[in-house]
Each structure stands twice: as structure tokens, then as C-alpha cells.
Amino acid sequence: MNGLIMRIRMRHCLHVLEKQWYLNNDFITGEDALKFSDTRSKLKILKALEAVNCVSLSYTDNSNRPYVIREGRESSIYLLTRREIWTNRLWGFIAGILTAVASHYIIQFLQTISF
């Protein structure tokens, strides 16, 4: 369950970053970047996004907070992949339920015609 919560936070963070990148010419610098990583959980999410190449973080000397946050190579692909995975899971769940219901009626029908 912890991984699911992390993925939801990463998705939300990436949406917020994309809005900021649009307004700031594809990078966030200075106080805005420091404010964006002001808590430990936000910093953890940024580092997780960096690990999957969604963001590129640049640090000042001896700092653990990013001073520049740039868009990574995989940011748009990450969102599309996550959406596709959840869509496939939803369709698989619906298909499973329909298969169970249909098989119940097929078995009933076969039992009635086979005396």
C-alpha cells in the first residue's frame, strides 16, 4: 500500500511541476525550487521522480535541497504509462466480473438442456 501512495504523490507532484514548468520556461529555480522541496516527504518524492528520469535536479554546494528543478526526459511518458496501466487494470477487473457472470448463466443453461 505504501508504494501506491507514493505513486499517487509522484503523479500529483508531476502535475504541479508541469504547470510550474509551463509558467517558468521549463525550469524552476531559486526560492521556488527550495520552497517546493521544503519538507522531507516532498524531497523524497522529488528524488523518486529523479530516479525514473521525470525530473532533473541540480544542487548548490553541500546542500540536499535542489536549487534547480528541470523537466526530465521521461516525464510525459511516465504519466501516460501510469494511466495506461490503471486503464488496463480497470478493464481487466470488468472483464473478470463479466466472465464470472456469463459463465454462471452458461452453466445454468447447459444444465437445463442436458436433463
Side-chain angles (χ1 to χ4, degrees):
M1 192 66 169
N2 204 10
L4 178 63
I5 293 170
M6 183 65 164
R7 295 260 183 212
I8 291 170
R9 288 181 179 167
M10 287 170 65
R11 180 179 162 269
H12 176 71
C13 180
L14 199 52
H15 277 296
V16 172
L17 282 171
E18 283 183 340
K19 289 177 186 175
Q20 292 295 321
W21 287 327
Y22 178 75
L23 296 173
N24 296 319
N25 296 325
D26 294 335
F27 59 91
I28 302 169
T29 60
E31 290 298 319
D32 292 333
L34 292 173
K35 188 171 67 172
F36 200 86
S37 63
D38 59 353
T39 64
R40 180 181 282 176
S41 63
K42 288 180 182 179
L43 188 60
K44 185 178 177 182
I45 292 167
L46 281 175
K47 289 185 179 188
L49 285 170
E50 183 181 34
V52 293
N53 293 325
C54 291
V55 298
S56 173
L57 304 176
S58 299
Y59 300 92
T60 58
D61 294 335
N62 298 324
S63 175
N64 64 344
R65 306 264 182 226
Y67 190 74
V68 178
I69 304 172
R70 291 186 186 91
E71 186 174 9
R73 296 185 322 258
E74 307 286 329
S75 61
S76 58
I77 294 171
Y78 177 81
L79 291 174
L80 290 173
T81 304
R82 290 288 124 201
R83 171 170 262 168
E84 182 180 347
I85 287 171
W86 281 104
T87 303
N88 288 341
R89 288 176 181 169
L90 178 66
W91 283 115
F93 178 74
I94 291 170
I97 290 174
L98 290 176
T99 302
V101 170
S103 64
H104 173 72
Y105 287 118
I106 290 171
I107 290 171
Q108 274 187 334
F109 175 72
L110 291 175
Q111 287 175 349
T112 59
I113 61 171
S114 65
F115 305 171

